[in-house]
Amino acid sequence: MTAYQEIIKLLPQLLFEVLKDIERRTGDWMWSGGNEDDPYIHQ
């Protein structure tokens, strides 16, 4: 299961502010050349 799939599974339990932070951080990571399977995303 990818990190994104895990996040989707947890969506109902997460606060909106947390989701915005996850989106910003993962988006920045991907934009800088990272991959969705990198350890940073799972962290």
Side-chain angles (χ1 to χ4, degrees):
M1 179 178 295
T2 69
Y4 283 118
Q5 290 170 329
E6 291 179 39
I7 291 169
I8 290 170
K9 189 170 84 174
L10 295 173
L11 280 177
Q13 301 171 27
L14 299 174
L15 297 173
F16 182 70
E17 291 79 14
V18 173
L19 293 174
K20 287 190 332 186
D21 187 52
I22 291 170
E23 178 185 29
R24 182 181 53 80
R25 290 171 185 261
T26 57
D28 289 349
W29 180 258
M30 300 290 282
W31 185 81
S32 69
N35 187 314
E36 71 178 48
D37 292 327
D38 289 341
Y40 175 77
I41 299 295
H42 286 276
Q43 177 187 358

